[in-house]
């Protein structure tokens, strides 16, 4: 039995906004078939009052059993109502953009990732040590079948030299260790067991294993060629999907630990140098808001931007197709570069 959590006045998380007393009463004794509870769902947001969202699902069923909490959060973040159904479209011939920075003056690198989890397993917050290892084994065996540009090697975290790990993180290829939001959700349990990274020689195709989601499939390269990065990603996802069935819902698309990633589960980002606009954050934010883009720092979520370099990506992942999401990025980045050039 849990008590209604105390949220401080300064807490602006979607959890504190939507966990009303009546929603709490409705959900407090509910459990999913895999035994996920409200306490588990809200643990991170209760521990960290500075959370933006504050909730994580423990399995696919969490999104229906605890829908009175998840649905309003999903609506507020993605603008996706409980009557809507998510649709996918990865047909690259329908993407009319390509590279918003052909002069190669502003975009440092482009990265597109999707999150995936394997059907019928618990998600990372409540998975057991044994099941996590099983998931790792299945993913690695699927990845080892990839050919040509996508072929690579798997590097488990448990025997990775500290120096290699630090360098991979610094170069933006590997997840950080010890994220406090993930820790409180249970997503760092049994660390570093079952965690690792697969990548090709050029590090243009990478897969994170058992971080926030069981797979984070990543395509990245220097410069701003969004189309090339997207094409590589979609090719890889299709190959992996021949071997592994991903967790998916008719309504919510791909199932992820955090509700912000549902649907396409895709974050398409550029690292972009905007020295003039960085002195006018109001203008920068008005452009990103207009194009449904999110600004992060150069070291990923919860980091600061440095030397006028920003990580800019699609905010909406659910209720938009993959093509719409990369179009948001393409158009928004084109508008930002135009505004940067016009600034004196
Ligand atoms: P995620 O993208 O999986 O949601 P993060 O925001 O923490 O997670 O980013 C993961 C890593 O990817 C960080 O090191 C971040 O700097 C790096 N990254 C994100 N976008 C780009 C990009 N366009 N170019 C290079 N690195 C990037
Ligand atoms: C939080 O609630 O702040 C963390 N659990 C991270 C939420 C996901 N981030 C996001 O805004 N896309």
């Amino acid at each position: 039995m849990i008590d209604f959590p105390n949220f401080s006045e300064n807490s602006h998380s979607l959890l504190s906004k939507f966990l009303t007393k009546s929603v709490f009463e409705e959900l407090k004794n509910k459990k999913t078939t895999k035994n996920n509870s409200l306490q588990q769902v809200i643990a991170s947001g209760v521990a960290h009052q500075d959370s933006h969202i504050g909730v994580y699902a423990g399995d696919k069923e969490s999104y229906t059993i605890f829908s009175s909490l998840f649905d309003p959060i999903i609506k507020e973040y993605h603008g996706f109502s409980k009557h809507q159904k998510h649709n996918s479209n990865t047909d690259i011939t329908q993407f009319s953009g390509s590279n918003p920075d052909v002069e190669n003056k502003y975009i440092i690198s482009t990265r597109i990732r999707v999150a995936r989890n394997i059907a019928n397993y618990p998600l990372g917050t409540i998975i057991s040590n044994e099941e996590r290892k099983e998931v790792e084994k299945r993913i690695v065996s699927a990845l080892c079948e990839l050919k040509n540009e996508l072929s690579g090697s798997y590097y488990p975290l448990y025997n990775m030299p500290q120096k290699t790990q630090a360098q991979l993180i610094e170069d933006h290829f590997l997840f950080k260790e010890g994220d406090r939001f993930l820790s409180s959700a249970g997503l760092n349990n049994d660390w570093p067991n079952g965690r690792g990274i697969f990548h090709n020689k050029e590090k243009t195709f990478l897969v994170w294993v058992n971080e926030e989601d069981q797979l984070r499939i990543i395509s990245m390269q220097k410069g701003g060629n969004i189309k090339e990065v997207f094409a590589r990603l979609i090719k890889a996802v299709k190959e992996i999907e021949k071997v592994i069935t991903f967790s998916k819902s008719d309504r919510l698309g791909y199932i992820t630990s955090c509700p912000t990633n549902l649907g396409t589960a895709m974050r398409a980002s550029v690292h972009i140098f905007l020295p003039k606009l960085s002195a006018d954050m109001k203008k920068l934010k008005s452009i990103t808001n207009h194009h449904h883009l999110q600004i992060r720092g150069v070291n990923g979520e919860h980091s600061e931007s440095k030397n006028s370099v920003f990580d800019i990506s699609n905010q909406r992942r659910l209720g938009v197709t993959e093509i719409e999401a990369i179009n948001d990025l393409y158009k928004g980045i084109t508008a930002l570069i135009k505004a940067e050039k016009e600034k004196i």
Side-chain angles (χ1 to χ4, degrees):
M1 179 67 109
I2 49 165
D3 292 326
F4 186 74
N6 271 324
F7 292 109
S8 82
E9 266 175 41
N10 301 328
S11 177
H12 301 295
S13 70
L14 298 189
L15 169 65
S16 66
K17 182 166 177 184
F18 293 115
L19 188 70
T20 59
K21 288 233 160 69
S22 76
V23 169
F24 177 80
E25 286 305 317
E26 180 201 332
L27 302 180
K28 69 178 184 191
N29 296 320
K30 290 203 171 165
K31 287 272 173 75
T32 64
T33 319
K34 293 191 193 320
N35 217 22
N36 199 36
S37 63
L38 180 68
Q39 187 165 18
Q40 179 68 46
V41 167
I42 67 175
S44 185
V46 172
H48 306 292
Q49 303 261 324
D50 58 338
S51 292
H52 297 302
I53 315 292
V55 292
Y56 289 93
D59 49 18
K60 178 175 164 181
E61 212 189 348
S62 298
Y63 285 109
T64 44
I65 298 284
F66 303 109
S67 61
S68 312
L69 176 60
F70 277 114
D71 278 347
I73 290 178
I74 288 169
K75 174 84 175 77
E76 177 113 345
Y77 183 87
H78 299 279
F80 182 89
S81 84
K82 58 182 176 184
H83 307 294
Q84 272 180 279
K85 193 169 169 288
H86 177 77
N87 290 308
S88 165
N89 176 13
T90 58
D91 179 3
I92 196 155
T93 62
Q94 293 178 30
F95 175 54
S96 49
S98 177
N99 183 349
D101 180 27
V102 279
E103 296 163 86
N104 210 12
K105 278 172 71 177
Y106 302 96
I107 302 180
I108 296 159
S109 51
T110 302
R111 172 183 183 267
I112 312 182
R113 60 81 167 156
V114 290
R116 294 288 185 270
N117 291 278
I118 305 186
N120 303 320
Y121 280 92
L123 296 171
T125 59
I126 59 165
I127 200 166
S128 70
N129 195 21
E130 283 316 302
E131 285 172 312
R132 190 186 300 102
K133 284 186 188 164
E134 213 176 285
V135 163
E136 178 190 35
K137 225 169 144 182
R138 289 187 55 182
I139 296 170
V140 174
S141 97
L143 295 175
C144 286
E145 289 182 31
L146 295 173
K147 302 270 180 302
N148 303 320
E149 190 195 13
L150 303 178
S151 77
S153 307
Y154 180 64
Y155 306 91
L157 214 57
Y158 80 90
N159 67 1
M160 187 183 286
Q162 196 60 45
K163 226 177 126 189
T164 311
Q165 186 183 349
Q167 193 63 53
L168 284 170
I169 295 171
E170 190 177 326
D171 294 341
H172 306 287
F173 294 125
L174 182 63
F175 46 82
K176 288 175 273 186
E177 197 171 322
D179 179 288
R180 64 192 164 98
F181 300 92
L182 299 186
S183 287
S184 301
L187 280 154
N188 292 346
N189 291 349
D190 312 306
W191 194 273
N193 293 354
R195 277 75 175 197
I197 183 171
F198 174 97
H199 63 77
N200 65 1
K201 206 161 138 263
E202 300 74 26
K203 301 198 189 84
T204 53
F205 169 64
L206 311 96
V207 180
W208 293 356
V209 179
N210 283 320
E211 195 240 8
E212 181 174 324
D213 292 289
Q214 290 161 359
L215 300 99
R216 287 281 172 103
I217 307 171
I218 302 161
S219 169
M220 64 197 282
Q221 66 191 43
K222 296 275 177 228
N225 196 329
I226 299 173
K227 196 165 190 165
E228 210 169 279
V229 174
F230 184 70
R232 185 188 303 114
L233 178 79
I234 296 308
K235 192 166 140 206
V237 172
K238 286 192 174 147
E239 286 301 315
I240 301 169
E241 214 160 12
K242 284 181 189 162
V243 190
I244 293 179
T245 306
F246 295 135
S247 181
K248 208 173 174 184
S249 129
D250 280 348
R251 185 184 147 233
L252 296 172
Y254 289 104
I255 295 297
T256 54
S257 296
C258 179
T260 61
N261 283 318
L262 287 164
T264 60
M266 188 174 98
R267 190 168 90 86
S269 67
V270 295
H271 275 182
I272 184 165
F273 179 54
L274 299 169
K276 291 182 184 151
L277 275 181
S278 73
D280 185 356
M281 286 308 288
K282 207 170 147 213
K283 172 94 182 157
L284 203 162
K285 283 185 180 162
S286 82
I287 299 173
T288 51
N289 285 343
H290 180 73
H291 292 277
H292 310 287
L293 299 177
Q294 184 183 56
I295 308 174
R296 292 186 181 183
V298 274
N299 291 313
E301 193 156 36
H302 307 115
S303 72
E304 297 297 321
S305 72
K306 268 189 231 154
N307 307 323
S308 305
V309 177
F310 300 89
D311 170 331
I312 296 182
S313 61
N314 59 299
Q315 159 124 5
R316 304 180 298 175
R317 313 196 213 294
L318 175 64
V320 287
T321 67
E322 289 80 354
I323 294 296
E324 284 167 336
I326 55 168
N327 256 324
D328 276 351
L329 183 73
Y330 179 79
K331 289 187 183 152
I333 295 302
T334 303
L336 283 171
I337 291 176
K338 184 168 177 280
E340 175 72 22
K341 282 181 176 167
E342 282 167 4
K343 267 211 167 285
I344 323 157

